[in-house]
Amino acid sequence: ARALALERELTRGGVAANRDRLAALVQHTLGPLLAWEAAHASDLVRTLEVHLRHGCSPTRTAALLHIGRQSLYQRLERIESLLGLEIDDPDLLGELLTATCAHRVVRPATTAQHSTDDLSRHFRRSA
């Protein structure tokens, strides 16, 4: 239940009632990353969320994403380059995590459900 606390808070009052506010947050925070993903087959937003949710641990993130650490480092470098910031900056962690979570919440239902299922599996494994 704690793992989904952020989702509950973001959707208090319902997803529809919060969709515009959440979409604006996502676009403001992750805009360049979303533009990249629209043009390229990548999984950078999900990579960022998993990385943030697991304490920015490269070992844990790579294991959860089923990729090698070198591949993870390449993804993280791409994310930082696109966003123009360091993703492990303590002052940005909350905003980035909130935006990645909001992105998952406001996406179309089928994609969001798949991602939520994946996230739930990750949390069950790490518990």
Side-chain angles (χ1 to χ4, degrees):
R2 285 187 309 174
L4 300 176
L6 182 55
E7 286 83 346
R8 282 195 315 271
E9 190 59 35
L10 290 174
T11 59
R12 187 172 299 223
V15 174
N18 292 292
R19 186 172 303 279
D20 291 341
R21 180 180 57 87
L22 294 176
L25 168 69
V26 169
Q27 188 57 45
H28 172 76
T29 308
L30 303 176
L33 197 55
L34 298 174
W36 173 268
E37 284 201 337
H40 302 87
S42 69
D43 206 10
L44 298 180
V45 174
R46 181 170 174 259
T47 297
L48 179 58
E49 183 174 12
V50 170
H51 189 63
L52 294 170
R53 284 191 179 265
H54 292 90
C56 297
S57 166
T59 301
R60 184 77 176 132
T61 303
L64 290 168
L65 294 173
H66 307 290
I67 61 174
R69 283 187 24 181
Q70 191 60 37
S71 294
L72 174 66
Y73 290 132
Q74 290 170 352
R75 287 184 187 187
L76 295 176
E77 286 176 16
R78 168 93 52 203
I79 291 167
E80 289 183 335
S81 173
L82 290 166
L83 295 179
L85 50 81
E86 292 182 23
I87 58 174
D88 60 352
D89 181 339
D91 294 332
L92 300 174
L93 295 176
E95 180 182 6
L96 289 171
L97 180 57
T98 301
T100 57
C101 180
H103 175 260
R104 189 170 24 80
V105 167
V106 297
R107 286 188 310 184
T110 55
T111 307
Q113 182 58 48
H114 174 69
S115 185
T116 301
D117 291 346
D118 288 347
L119 189 60
S120 295
R121 277 194 298 277
H122 290 307
F123 285 121
R124 281 194 300 268
R125 281 188 217 151
S126 60

